[in-house]
């Protein structure tokens, strides 16, 4: 059993995103549950997969990515993206709809499905299993035969081996 905290705000003129920022802050500080109503939502990632070595850009489509790029952060499988940019396209005085998406530089990771978390305006949202790191794929081994005693140099050819040490 824990303590219950209740915060009443009267006449504060707060928007839902402001309440989510406050709720998120109190949640992190006091380790309390908080369900955001304006959290970023990850709908799709293009491309939806890539090499485990990372370093390439992907586009994340969804909603509630905020209004300013400087306030956008992202992680892939818990690893910070070195680049996260908010892009707004097709908005003008004559348009009633525009496209908002995020462009991220994918960090290195382990093969398999991973989640992407977007933090916009200090409110976090997550897309579970939103991206797939491709596993290594061997295409050839040279030479095809070697002495049983060992000592031969073998070259393995393929893709998605990760970055060189």
């Amino acid at each position: 059993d824990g303590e219950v905290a209740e915060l009443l705000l009267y006449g504060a003129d707060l928007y839902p995103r402001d309440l989510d920022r406050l709720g998120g802050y109190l949640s992190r500080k006091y380790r309390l549950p908080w369900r955001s109503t304006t959290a970023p939502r990850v709908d799709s990632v293009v491309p939806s997969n890539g090499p485990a070595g990372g370093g390439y850009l992907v586009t994340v489509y969804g909603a509630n990515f905020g209004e300013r790029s400087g306030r956008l952060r992202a992680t892939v499988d818990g690893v910070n993206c070195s680049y996260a940019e908010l892009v707004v396209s097709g908005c003008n005085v004559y348009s009633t709809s525009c496209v908002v998406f995020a462009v991220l530089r994918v960090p290195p990771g382990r093969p398999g499905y991973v989640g992407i978390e977007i933090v916009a305006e200090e409110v976090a949202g997550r897309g579970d299993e939103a991206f797939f790191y491709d596993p290594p794929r061997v295409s050839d081994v040279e030479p095809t035969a070697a002495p049983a005693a060992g000592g031969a140099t073998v070259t393995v050819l393929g893709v998605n081996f990760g970055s060189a040490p």
Side-chain angles (χ1 to χ4, degrees):
D1 291 330
E3 295 180 27
V4 175
E6 189 171 310
L7 180 64
L8 299 175
L9 300 170
Y10 293 102
D13 231 5
L14 293 175
Y15 292 100
R17 183 167 292 283
D18 296 321
L19 291 173
D20 279 338
R21 279 189 211 130
L22 178 61
Y25 167 77
L26 293 172
S27 170
R28 287 186 301 276
K29 183 171 179 152
Y30 298 108
R31 296 187 172 124
L32 299 170
W34 175 261
R35 186 175 20 201
S36 173
T37 59
T38 62
R41 188 184 76 232
V42 175
D43 292 336
S44 64
V45 180
V46 177
S48 60
N49 66 300
Y56 45 88
L57 299 177
V58 296
T59 302
V60 180
Y61 294 96
N64 300 327
F65 290 159
E67 299 170 2
R68 294 178 292 198
S69 284
R71 312 260 339 235
L72 183 75
R73 297 188 317 272
T75 63
V76 176
D77 199 25
V79 178
N80 288 328
C81 295
S82 63
Y83 175 82
E85 182 76 28
L86 178 69
V87 179
V88 179
S89 175
C91 294
N92 60 45
V93 176
Y94 306 105
S95 174
T96 57
S97 65
C98 56
V99 179
V100 178
F101 53 91
V103 176
L104 314 176
R105 183 168 311 283
V106 176
R110 292 186 307 260
Y113 283 101
V114 295
I116 292 181
E117 182 177 75
I118 303 283
V119 179
E121 306 286 331
E122 299 306 317
V123 179
R126 182 173 171 84
D128 292 321
E129 297 189 352
F131 186 76
F132 185 80
Y133 279 117
D134 296 331
R137 198 171 69 235
V138 174
S139 59
D140 199 10
V141 177
E142 297 173 355
T144 56
T153 300
V154 175
T155 301
V156 179
L157 303 173
V159 295
N160 300 333
F161 292 136
S163 53

